[in-house]
Amino acid sequence: MINFQIPQPADKAWVDQRLAGGNYRGCEYSFTNLLVWGAAYDQRIADVEGFLVVRVKGNLGYGYFWPAGAGDLDKALTLLEQDAQERGEEFRLVGVTPEGAAELERLRPGQYTCTLDRDGSDYLYDIDKLADLGGRKLHSKRNHCARFQDNNPDWVYEDMTPQALGECLELDEQWDRLSREREGAEEAEDMTNERKALLLSAKYFKELKLEGGLLRVGGQVVAFTMGDLLGVDTFDVHFEKAYSEIQGAYPMINREFARRIRQRYPQVRYLNREEDMGIEGLRKAKESYYPDLMVEKHWVVRKK
């Protein structure tokens, strides 16, 4: 049985080393997400045959991420299959991309079925599009930004600092309370898990090498965002919060952070704004920016 461990900040170095071998654009291949969402999904990690392997609990039960790294992939998969068998569980891979599914079919021809997980697929946007908001489709986003600037002439954008994290957490606390009142109990667990993930991100902000930005109006934080580099050409946006009653606050923090990341990291081509989890309002918001790519993810199980 594989000795899976709860992720700790000290694991970042070896995990990042495994991830550096491939251009993983899916948000599950972020050490930050493995750490801060660990409790919500019982995520455990191990180093197997030169690969990062992850055991995770989802709606269908326990499964494994596609191994990340370089080495004997066939042997790594065999060890995962054996691990599931020893635990008395059905062997299941989650978050498998089309490329991973094709490789699995090559190694295990005809043995597995793949099902698209639309709710778990990530939205990728060209960073220039989000930074410039050009074109007819994003006309309304430009208008919202212009309205924000007109209504709040003293607005400023700032890079996130450890000193500003407390103010951002206060905003999130108020956002969480208002959202619970508006949404009711249906999404309460998701919001609780997100709050815990944000608190851990703030706690380990330096260790995780997170970056972020915030908007101030009248000196008060009215929006913030946070993320880190993912793969070769992608930046993963983990959190974005704003006071929705302030018109244009969301598109403004989105635009300003995209501009900052483009300036800081010329190699970044895409912003990953992660999945919508099947939440109708979240899906509508992400689709309103017209994603350039989707990181399609699949559940993979052995055929009966």
Short mmCIF file of all heavy atoms in Angstrom, two decimals, residues 268-302:
data_model
loop_
_atom_site.label_atom_id
_atom_site.label_comp_id
_atom_site.label_asym_id
_atom_site.label_seq_id
_atom_site.Cartn_x
_atom_site.Cartn_y
_atom_site.Cartn_z
N VAL A 268 3.78 34.14 -19.73
CA VAL A 268 2.42 33.66 -19.43
C VAL A 268 1.48 34.00 -20.58
O VAL A 268 1.35 35.16 -20.98
CB VAL A 268 1.89 34.26 -18.12
CG1 VAL A 268 0.39 33.98 -17.96
CG2 VAL A 268 2.64 33.66 -16.93
N ARG A 269 0.84 32.96 -21.09
CA ARG A 269 -0.09 33.11 -22.19
C ARG A 269 -1.55 33.02 -21.73
O ARG A 269 -2.43 33.64 -22.32
CB ARG A 269 0.17 32.04 -23.24
CG ARG A 269 -0.72 32.13 -24.47
CD ARG A 269 -0.38 31.04 -25.47
NE ARG A 269 -1.26 31.08 -26.63
CZ ARG A 269 -1.26 30.17 -27.59
NH1 ARG A 269 -0.41 29.15 -27.53
NH2 ARG A 269 -2.09 30.27 -28.61
N TYR A 270 -1.78 32.22 -20.68
CA TYR A 270 -3.16 31.99 -20.24
C TYR A 270 -3.32 32.26 -18.75
O TYR A 270 -2.40 32.03 -17.95
CB TYR A 270 -3.57 30.53 -20.50
CG TYR A 270 -3.61 30.14 -21.95
CD1 TYR A 270 -2.64 29.29 -22.47
CD2 TYR A 270 -4.62 30.62 -22.79
CE1 TYR A 270 -2.67 28.93 -23.81
CE2 TYR A 270 -4.65 30.26 -24.13
CZ TYR A 270 -3.67 29.42 -24.63
OH TYR A 270 -3.70 29.05 -25.96
N LEU A 271 -4.51 32.71 -18.38
CA LEU A 271 -4.95 32.73 -17.00
C LEU A 271 -5.94 31.59 -16.83
O LEU A 271 -6.92 31.49 -17.57
CB LEU A 271 -5.62 34.05 -16.64
CG LEU A 271 -4.71 35.29 -16.57
CD1 LEU A 271 -5.54 36.51 -16.20
CD2 LEU A 271 -3.60 35.10 -15.55
N ASN A 272 -5.66 30.72 -15.87
CA ASN A 272 -6.59 29.64 -15.52
C ASN A 272 -7.48 30.15 -14.40
O ASN A 272 -7.01 30.45 -13.30
CB ASN A 272 -5.81 28.40 -15.07
CG ASN A 272 -6.73 27.23 -14.73
OD1 ASN A 272 -7.87 27.39 -14.33
ND2 ASN A 272 -6.23 26.02 -14.91
N ARG A 273 -8.78 30.24 -14.68
CA ARG A 273 -9.73 30.71 -13.68
C ARG A 273 -10.52 29.55 -13.08
O ARG A 273 -11.60 29.74 -12.54
CB ARG A 273 -10.62 31.79 -14.27
CG ARG A 273 -9.80 33.06 -14.65
CD ARG A 273 -10.64 34.17 -15.23
NE ARG A 273 -11.70 34.60 -14.37
CZ ARG A 273 -11.55 35.40 -13.31
NH1 ARG A 273 -10.33 35.84 -12.99
NH2 ARG A 273 -12.57 35.76 -12.58
N GLU A 274 -9.95 28.36 -13.23
CA GLU A 274 -10.41 27.14 -12.57
C GLU A 274 -11.82 26.75 -13.00
O GLU A 274 -12.36 27.28 -13.97
CB GLU A 274 -10.21 27.25 -11.06
CG GLU A 274 -8.74 27.52 -10.70
CD GLU A 274 -8.41 27.33 -9.24
OE1 GLU A 274 -9.32 27.24 -8.40
OE2 GLU A 274 -7.19 27.29 -8.93
N GLU A 275 -12.41 25.79 -12.28
CA GLU A 275 -13.67 25.18 -12.71
C GLU A 275 -14.88 25.94 -12.15
O GLU A 275 -14.73 26.82 -11.31
CB GLU A 275 -13.72 23.72 -12.27
CG GLU A 275 -13.91 23.53 -10.79
CD GLU A 275 -12.63 23.60 -9.98
OE1 GLU A 275 -11.59 23.98 -10.54
OE2 GLU A 275 -12.67 23.30 -8.77
N ASP A 276 -16.07 25.56 -12.62
CA ASP A 276 -17.28 26.20 -12.11
C ASP A 276 -18.05 25.32 -11.13
O ASP A 276 -19.06 25.74 -10.57
CB ASP A 276 -18.20 26.66 -13.25
CG ASP A 276 -18.67 25.53 -14.14
OD1 ASP A 276 -18.96 24.43 -13.63
OD2 ASP A 276 -18.78 25.74 -15.36
N MET A 277 -17.62 24.07 -10.96
CA MET A 277 -18.22 23.12 -10.00
C MET A 277 -19.70 22.86 -10.28
O MET A 277 -20.43 22.40 -9.41
CB MET A 277 -18.01 23.59 -8.56
CG MET A 277 -16.55 23.73 -8.18
SD MET A 277 -16.31 24.37 -6.50
CE MET A 277 -16.87 26.07 -6.71
N GLY A 278 -20.14 23.20 -11.47
CA GLY A 278 -21.54 22.99 -11.80
C GLY A 278 -22.49 24.04 -11.23
O GLY A 278 -23.70 23.89 -11.33
N ILE A 279 -21.93 25.10 -10.62
CA ILE A 279 -22.76 26.17 -10.05
C ILE A 279 -23.20 27.10 -11.17
O ILE A 279 -22.35 27.69 -11.87
CB ILE A 279 -21.98 26.93 -8.96
CG1 ILE A 279 -21.58 25.98 -7.82
CG2 ILE A 279 -22.80 28.10 -8.43
CD1 ILE A 279 -20.66 26.60 -6.80
N GLU A 280 -24.48 27.23 -11.36
CA GLU A 280 -25.02 27.95 -12.53
C GLU A 280 -24.50 29.38 -12.63
O GLU A 280 -24.07 29.82 -13.70
CB GLU A 280 -26.55 27.95 -12.47
CG GLU A 280 -27.21 28.62 -13.66
CD GLU A 280 -28.72 28.58 -13.59
OE1 GLU A 280 -29.27 27.97 -12.65
OE2 GLU A 280 -29.37 29.17 -14.47
N GLY A 281 -24.53 30.12 -11.52
CA GLY A 281 -24.08 31.50 -11.57
C GLY A 281 -22.60 31.62 -11.87
O GLY A 281 -22.18 32.51 -12.61
N LEU A 282 -21.81 30.71 -11.32
CA LEU A 282 -20.37 30.72 -11.56
C LEU A 282 -20.07 30.37 -13.01
O LEU A 282 -19.19 30.97 -13.64
CB LEU A 282 -19.69 29.75 -10.61
CG LEU A 282 -18.17 29.86 -10.42
CD1 LEU A 282 -17.78 31.27 -10.02
CD2 LEU A 282 -17.70 28.85 -9.40
N ARG A 283 -20.80 29.40 -13.55
CA ARG A 283 -20.60 29.03 -14.95
C ARG A 283 -20.94 30.20 -15.87
O ARG A 283 -20.21 30.51 -16.82
CB ARG A 283 -21.45 27.81 -15.30
CG ARG A 283 -21.32 27.40 -16.77
CD ARG A 283 -21.92 26.03 -17.02
NE ARG A 283 -21.19 25.00 -16.28
CZ ARG A 283 -21.43 23.70 -16.41
NH1 ARG A 283 -22.37 23.26 -17.23
NH2 ARG A 283 -20.73 22.82 -15.71
N LYS A 284 -22.04 30.87 -15.57
CA LYS A 284 -22.44 32.03 -16.39
C LYS A 284 -21.38 33.12 -16.35
O LYS A 284 -21.04 33.72 -17.38
CB LYS A 284 -23.78 32.56 -15.90
CG LYS A 284 -24.33 33.71 -16.73
CD LYS A 284 -25.70 34.15 -16.21
CE LYS A 284 -26.24 35.31 -17.04
NZ LYS A 284 -27.56 35.75 -16.53
N ALA A 285 -20.82 33.36 -15.16
CA ALA A 285 -19.81 34.40 -15.02
C ALA A 285 -18.55 34.05 -15.79
O ALA A 285 -17.95 34.91 -16.47
CB ALA A 285 -19.48 34.60 -13.54
N LYS A 286 -18.12 32.79 -15.73
CA LYS A 286 -16.90 32.38 -16.43
C LYS A 286 -17.12 32.37 -17.95
O LYS A 286 -16.22 32.74 -18.71
CB LYS A 286 -16.44 31.02 -15.91
CG LYS A 286 -15.94 31.05 -14.48
CD LYS A 286 -15.50 29.69 -13.99
CE LYS A 286 -15.12 29.72 -12.52
NZ LYS A 286 -13.89 30.45 -12.24
N GLU A 287 -18.28 31.94 -18.38
CA GLU A 287 -18.56 31.92 -19.81
C GLU A 287 -18.71 33.31 -20.38
O GLU A 287 -18.50 33.52 -21.58
CB GLU A 287 -19.82 31.09 -20.08
CG GLU A 287 -19.62 29.59 -19.88
CD GLU A 287 -20.86 28.77 -20.16
OE1 GLU A 287 -21.97 29.36 -20.17
OE2 GLU A 287 -20.73 27.54 -20.38
N SER A 288 -19.05 34.29 -19.53
CA SER A 288 -19.23 35.66 -20.03
C SER A 288 -17.93 36.28 -20.50
O SER A 288 -17.94 37.29 -21.21
CB SER A 288 -19.86 36.53 -18.93
OG SER A 288 -18.93 36.81 -17.89
N TYR A 289 -16.80 35.68 -20.13
CA TYR A 289 -15.50 36.14 -20.62
C TYR A 289 -15.01 35.33 -21.81
O TYR A 289 -13.90 35.56 -22.30
CB TYR A 289 -14.46 36.07 -19.49
CG TYR A 289 -14.47 37.27 -18.57
CD1 TYR A 289 -15.22 37.25 -17.39
CD2 TYR A 289 -13.76 38.42 -18.87
CE1 TYR A 289 -15.22 38.35 -16.53
CE2 TYR A 289 -13.75 39.52 -18.03
CZ TYR A 289 -14.49 39.47 -16.86
OH TYR A 289 -14.49 40.56 -16.02
N TYR A 290 -15.80 34.40 -22.29
CA TYR A 290 -15.52 33.63 -23.50
C TYR A 290 -14.13 32.95 -23.43
O TYR A 290 -13.15 33.45 -23.99
CB TYR A 290 -15.62 34.51 -24.74
CG TYR A 290 -16.99 35.13 -24.90
CD1 TYR A 290 -17.25 36.42 -24.41
CD2 TYR A 290 -18.03 34.42 -25.49
CE1 TYR A 290 -18.51 36.98 -24.53
CE2 TYR A 290 -19.30 34.98 -25.61
CZ TYR A 290 -19.53 36.26 -25.12
OH TYR A 290 -20.79 36.81 -25.23
N PRO A 291 -14.05 31.84 -22.72
CA PRO A 291 -12.76 31.15 -22.57
C PRO A 291 -12.15 30.78 -23.91
O PRO A 291 -12.86 30.42 -24.86
CB PRO A 291 -13.13 29.91 -21.75
CG PRO A 291 -14.59 29.71 -21.97
CD PRO A 291 -15.16 31.08 -22.11
N ASP A 292 -10.84 30.83 -23.98
CA ASP A 292 -10.13 30.47 -25.20
C ASP A 292 -9.84 28.98 -25.25
O ASP A 292 -9.73 28.40 -26.34
CB ASP A 292 -8.81 31.26 -25.28
CG ASP A 292 -9.06 32.75 -25.43
OD1 ASP A 292 -9.34 33.19 -26.56
OD2 ASP A 292 -9.02 33.47 -24.42
N LEU A 293 -9.69 28.36 -24.08
CA LEU A 293 -9.47 26.92 -24.00
C LEU A 293 -10.18 26.39 -22.76
O LEU A 293 -10.38 27.14 -21.79
CB LEU A 293 -7.98 26.58 -23.89
CG LEU A 293 -7.08 26.76 -25.10
CD1 LEU A 293 -5.63 26.49 -24.70
CD2 LEU A 293 -7.49 25.85 -26.24
N MET A 294 -10.54 25.13 -22.79
CA MET A 294 -11.00 24.42 -21.60
C MET A 294 -10.02 23.29 -21.33
O MET A 294 -9.62 22.58 -22.25
CB MET A 294 -12.40 23.85 -21.80
CG MET A 294 -13.49 24.87 -22.02
SD MET A 294 -13.86 25.89 -20.57
CE MET A 294 -14.55 24.67 -19.44
N VAL A 295 -9.60 23.16 -20.08
CA VAL A 295 -8.82 21.98 -19.68
C VAL A 295 -9.85 20.90 -19.36
O VAL A 295 -10.40 20.86 -18.27
CB VAL A 295 -7.92 22.26 -18.47
CG1 VAL A 295 -7.12 21.00 -18.10
CG2 VAL A 295 -6.96 23.41 -18.75
N GLU A 296 -10.16 20.08 -20.37
CA GLU A 296 -11.18 19.06 -20.19
C GLU A 296 -10.66 17.94 -19.29
O GLU A 296 -9.55 17.45 -19.46
CB GLU A 296 -11.60 18.49 -21.54
CG GLU A 296 -12.32 19.49 -22.42
CD GLU A 296 -12.85 18.87 -23.69
OE1 GLU A 296 -12.46 17.72 -24.00
OE2 GLU A 296 -13.65 19.52 -24.39
N LYS A 297 -11.49 17.54 -18.34
CA LYS A 297 -11.10 16.51 -17.38
C LYS A 297 -12.13 15.39 -17.40
O LYS A 297 -13.32 15.62 -17.61
CB LYS A 297 -10.97 17.10 -15.98
CG LYS A 297 -9.97 18.25 -15.92
CD LYS A 297 -9.91 18.88 -14.55
CE LYS A 297 -9.05 20.13 -14.55
NZ LYS A 297 -9.02 20.77 -13.22
N HIS A 298 -11.65 14.17 -17.17
CA HIS A 298 -12.50 12.98 -17.24
C HIS A 298 -12.35 12.13 -16.00
O HIS A 298 -11.30 12.11 -15.36
CB HIS A 298 -12.12 12.13 -18.47
CG HIS A 298 -12.29 12.83 -19.77
ND1 HIS A 298 -11.38 13.76 -20.24
CD2 HIS A 298 -13.27 12.73 -20.72
CE1 HIS A 298 -11.78 14.21 -21.43
NE2 HIS A 298 -12.92 13.61 -21.73
N TRP A 299 -13.41 11.39 -15.67
CA TRP A 299 -13.32 10.28 -14.74
C TRP A 299 -12.97 9.04 -15.57
O TRP A 299 -13.50 8.84 -16.66
CB TRP A 299 -14.66 10.01 -14.06
CG TRP A 299 -15.17 11.10 -13.20
CD1 TRP A 299 -14.53 11.68 -12.13
CD2 TRP A 299 -16.44 11.77 -13.32
NE1 TRP A 299 -15.33 12.66 -11.57
CE2 TRP A 299 -16.51 12.73 -12.27
CE3 TRP A 299 -17.52 11.65 -14.17
CZ2 TRP A 299 -17.61 13.55 -12.09
CZ3 TRP A 299 -18.62 12.46 -14.00
CH2 TRP A 299 -18.66 13.41 -12.97
N VAL A 300 -12.11 8.24 -15.06
CA VAL A 300 -11.70 7.02 -15.77
C VAL A 300 -11.89 5.84 -14.81
O VAL A 300 -11.33 5.85 -13.70
CB VAL A 300 -10.24 7.10 -16.25
CG1 VAL A 300 -9.83 5.81 -16.91
CG2 VAL A 300 -10.07 8.27 -17.22
N VAL A 301 -12.65 4.83 -15.22
CA VAL A 301 -12.86 3.63 -14.40
C VAL A 301 -12.69 2.40 -15.28
O VAL A 301 -12.89 2.45 -16.49
CB VAL A 301 -14.26 3.62 -13.73
CG1 VAL A 301 -14.39 4.75 -12.74
CG2 VAL A 301 -15.35 3.70 -14.78
N ARG A 302 -12.34 1.29 -14.61
CA ARG A 302 -12.16 0.04 -15.33
C ARG A 302 -13.52 -0.48 -15.82
O ARG A 302 -14.52 -0.39 -15.11
CB ARG A 302 -11.49 -1.01 -14.44
CG ARG A 302 -11.03 -2.25 -15.20
CD ARG A 302 -10.49 -3.30 -14.23
NE ARG A 302 -9.32 -2.84 -13.50
CZ ARG A 302 -8.09 -2.96 -13.96
NH1 ARG A 302 -7.87 -3.50 -15.16
NH2 ARG A 302 -7.07 -2.54 -13.26
#
